[in-house]
Amino acid sequence: MANQDCQTEDKLRRELVRFSKWLYRLGFMPGTSGNLSVRLDRERLLATPTGASKYLLRSADIVVVDLEGQQLAGSRRVTSEIGMHLAIYRERRDVEAVIHSHPPVATAFACAGRPLDEMFCQEAVMTLGSVPLAGYATTGTDEVAASLAPFVPGHDAILLANHGAVTYGRDIFDAFLKMETLEHVALVRLAAHQLGCIRPLEEEQAERLRRAKEKYMQNAV
Ligand SMILES: [Zn+2]
């Protein structure tokens, strides 16, 4: 392996460890739950192993798999939920990183059968857009990819019924920001519900925000 490739892989491994700890500290990955991955190149991914506390994860624990989920390197076994990640990478060539976690309030919405698709909060429109709820699927099986398939092309964050959430983006930081925002939006939605008077954005207000987002994204490129 060329020296530069080694440096890139080292850096990506360290980032996966850093964001694993961050997500653990936020309470999004209790026990050994949750998993992260990034593209190493067009054919390979780096991913977290199964059965690992994300607080104790080390760079050497990260494993390498191909886009079929075959493990190519690593002393530990890849996460049993890798199928979820593969389904997203195959469908979205623009996606460089995927995070699956169980943030408590967003997961409560997923357990109550409630998507977060109502536009009630400006930040939600500007960052996440609508967050659909994928149908029930047994974790670690092909059912998960099938349940996500209708939503992956048009969304960057999806709730998984009775399970948790998945977000993805142009790098691991982008995927992390979406997961953090998703939990924030779920918490605000819950609090507004408790106050008893949610006032969704009007369609025209939401449309203006979407246009502002497009402009912002063009400037950011
Ligand atoms: Zn899970």
Side-chain angles (χ1 to χ4, degrees):
M1 199 189 301
N3 196 26
Q4 200 179 358
D5 292 344
C6 277
Q7 282 174 7
T8 305
E9 181 169 339
D10 267 5
K11 186 168 161 265
L12 290 171
R13 282 174 179 266
R14 283 200 303 275
E15 284 194 347
L16 283 181
V17 169
R18 186 156 69 101
F19 284 98
S20 290
K21 287 191 198 317
W22 201 343
L23 287 153
Y24 177 89
R25 287 201 190 102
L26 286 171
F28 291 10
M29 294 190 168
T32 59
S33 69
N35 28 76
L36 302 85
S37 67
V38 292
R39 279 193 206 270
L40 182 55
D41 51 40
R42 286 334 286 180
E43 285 90 39
R44 297 179 302 158
L45 309 174
L46 291 174
T48 50
T50 187
S53 162
K54 302 308 172 298
Y55 183 69
L56 298 174
L57 198 71
R58 297 165 310 144
S59 192
D61 296 329
I62 305 289
V63 304
V64 184
V65 294
D66 65 18
L67 288 176
E68 301 303 317
Q70 294 299 318
Q71 189 156 340
L72 304 173
S75 56
R76 302 187 65 157
R77 211 151 38 85
V78 69
T79 170
S80 60
E81 293 184 301
I82 191 68
M84 183 190 317
H85 297 243
L86 299 173
I88 293 164
Y89 288 116
R90 283 197 213 113
E91 178 65 35
R92 292 274 303 267
R93 294 186 64 85
D94 59 311
V95 165
E96 292 287 330
V98 177
I99 295 175
H100 162 57
S101 77
H102 303 162
V105 184
T107 300
F109 274 82
C111 292
R114 304 271 294 265
L116 285 161
D117 55 0
E118 197 179 33
M119 292 298 115
F120 58 90
C121 166
Q122 293 201 356
E123 189 189 352
V125 183
M126 293 293 281
T127 53
L128 281 180
S130 93
V131 181
L133 173 69
Y136 183 81
T138 306
T139 183
T141 69
D142 293 345
E143 292 171 19
V144 179
S147 74
L148 291 174
F151 305 110
V152 172
H155 300 272
D156 289 349
I158 304 172
L159 292 177
L160 313 165
N162 302 87
H163 184 174
V166 63
T167 59
Y168 34 96
R170 62 181 177 274
D171 54 33
I172 194 73
F173 187 46
D174 187 35
F176 169 82
L177 290 178
K178 286 171 183 158
M179 187 63 78
E180 188 181 36
T181 304
L182 171 61
E183 178 66 351
H184 174 74
V185 166
L187 189 56
V188 170
R189 178 69 177 76
L190 178 64
H193 176 74
Q194 287 168 336
L195 290 169
C197 52
I198 298 169
R199 293 168 56 181
L201 291 164
E202 289 167 17
E203 183 45 37
E204 196 231 320
Q205 293 171 323
E207 187 49 39
R208 280 174 66 187
L209 288 166
R210 283 188 210 106
R211 281 203 299 271
K213 179 185 177 185
E214 262 172 44
K215 212 164 149 190
Y216 172 77
M217 297 295 283
Q218 279 166 9
N219 290 341
V221 172

